[in-house]
Amino acid sequence: MIRKYMAVVDHAFTAVAVFALAFMTLLIVADVALRYGAGTPIFFAHDLVVLYLTPAVFFFGFGPTYWRAEHLSVDLLTLNLPHRLRELTDVVSSAIGLWVFGLLTWVAWERAAKSFANNEVIASIVPWPAWASYALVPIGSAAMVLVCAARIVISLNNAFGRATGEAAQ
């Protein structure tokens, strides 16, 4: 059951990250082509990439990456551990991630809400809303909180529940 819901979270956040990366790539290519080809760059390209697209790629991408275990990890220490102890090390690392990203989500959400309430804009050629850029951090971090919580439940189930972890599925 958990894996089913997390698959939806995984696909949704991955889709946003992929869209942001594709749009960022196309925008940069167009900006460079126009800058050096026609001498007229896209005046808002840098701000859009830095303020919105890069944070979207990063914050919406790291939760799904951790969920699919596609992140860099050093597992030399845990490879030879018994199954139960290996699962418990996953619980500890996910609990640390839950605490760190929970705190990040909370603090970043407060900052985004304050920016929204104050109607803050970025000092640039285009007055981009600051809250939209700030909101990418807590939304993306919330996915990581969900991933860490799900991994804790699954690892505990694998360590102490059924041998195959079917209850978590």
Side-chain angles (χ1 to χ4, degrees), residues 133-151:
S133 179
Y134 295 147
L136 295 171
V137 177
I139 294 169
S141 297
M144 188 63 165
V145 167
L146 290 174
V147 167
C148 289
R151 286 180 65 113

Side-chain angles (χ1 to χ4, degrees), residues 1-64:
M1 185 66 109
I2 290 174
R3 292 181 195 274
K4 182 179 174 182
Y5 290 119
M6 288 309 298
V8 173
V9 171
D10 175 38
H11 293 312
F13 279 79
T14 299
V16 172
V18 165
F19 174 78
L21 182 61
F23 187 67
M24 179 170 49
T25 302
L26 293 173
L27 183 63
I28 290 171
V29 167
D31 183 46
V32 169
L34 288 171
R35 177 182 307 271
Y36 295 109
T40 56
I42 301 172
F43 67 93
F44 60 86
H46 181 266
D47 290 339
L48 189 60
V49 167
V50 171
L51 296 172
Y52 300 101
L53 298 175
T54 301
V57 168
F58 180 77
F59 285 101
F60 282 71
F62 63 59

Side-chain angles (χ1 to χ4, degrees), residues 75-89:
D75 55 2
L76 293 174
L77 298 174
T78 60
L79 281 176
N80 295 323
L81 292 176
H83 172 72
R84 183 171 285 169
L85 195 53
R86 193 174 329 122
E87 293 293 339
L88 291 176
T89 62

